[in-house]
């Protein structure tokens, strides 16, 4: 995990081809299983995975709190990159990139906040949450290959 100006960057290597990682990011049923920190679940209301497509869902916290989310997909480059803008609550851009490492995949998860004040408020929580997100992605990828 590294930090830039208003940005958190997490990387992780997975022992699966990047096509599989891309599928986990672009298949709503799979995405719902891993998106968010440990203990959270998701109910997807709309998931139109294409540039300009809306992704609306409710993230359910382990304490029962519901967090409505509205995102718009900005860019999708098959097997290479997904970019989306989170428009509800704190505004930020997420970019997931997938680098082929001879059959393994390096995932870089970048989260760039629009406002410095909001970034400063949530960076500690988001740093840990993003790492947990990648942990959960890893478990889904393991299940997909077993």
């Amino acid at each position: 995990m590294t930090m830039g100006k208003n940005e958190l960057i997490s990387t992780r290597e997975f022992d699966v081809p990047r096509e599989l990682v891309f599928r986990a990011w672009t298949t709503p049923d799979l995405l719902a299983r891993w998106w968010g920190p440990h203990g959270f679940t998701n109910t997807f209301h709309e998931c139109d995975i294409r540039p300009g497509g809306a992704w609306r869902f409710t993230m359910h916290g382990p304490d029962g709190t519901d967090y409505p989310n509205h995102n718009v997909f900005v860019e999708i480059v098959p097997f290479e990159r997904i970019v989306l803008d989170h428009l509800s609550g704190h505004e930020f851009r997420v970019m997931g990139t997938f680098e082929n490492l001879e059959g393994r995949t390096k995932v870089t998860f970048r989260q760039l906040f629009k406002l410095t004040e909001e970034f400063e408020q949530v960076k500690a929580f988001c740093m840990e949450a993003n790492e947990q997100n990648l942990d959960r992605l890893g478990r889904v990828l393991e299940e997909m290959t077993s």
Side-chain angles (χ1 to χ4, degrees), residues 16-118:
V16 298
R18 67 183 183 165
E19 293 80 9
L20 207 61
V21 176
F22 186 79
R23 185 167 13 134
W25 278 69
T26 57
T27 304
D29 291 345
L30 296 172
L31 185 59
R33 289 176 45 208
W34 68 266
W35 192 264
H38 295 309
F40 284 73
T41 59
N42 298 295
T43 301
F44 284 15
H45 311 293
E46 180 180 9
C47 191
D48 184 6
I49 303 176
R50 63 176 176 83
W55 178 24
R56 295 177 191 272
F57 65 98
T58 302
M59 185 177 284
H60 310 286
D63 65 356
T65 304
D66 286 337
Y67 301 92
N69 283 263
H70 175 214
N71 300 281
V72 173
F73 291 95
V74 175
E75 182 181 23
I76 299 175
V77 179
F79 313 120
E80 292 181 18
R81 177 175 58 253
I82 296 174
V83 180
L84 61 93
D85 285 337
H86 182 271
L87 303 174
S88 54
H90 302 297
E91 290 186 39
F92 54 85
R93 174 164 282 186
V94 169
M95 179 187 299
T97 57
F98 319 114
E99 181 183 348
N100 182 16
L101 301 175
E102 299 179 11
R104 294 175 52 81
T105 304
K106 178 181 178 182
V107 173
T108 302
F109 187 100
R110 303 174 80 98
Q111 184 180 25
L112 177 63
F113 284 81
K114 184 174 181 178
L115 300 175
T116 301
E117 303 79 41
E118 290 183 356

Side-chain angles (χ1 to χ4, degrees), residues 7-25:
E7 184 175 41
L8 300 171
I9 304 166
S10 296
T11 59
R12 189 77 57 92
E13 290 184 20
F14 297 104
D15 195 19
V16 298
R18 67 183 183 165
E19 293 80 9
L20 207 61
V21 176
F22 186 79
R23 185 167 13 134
W25 278 69

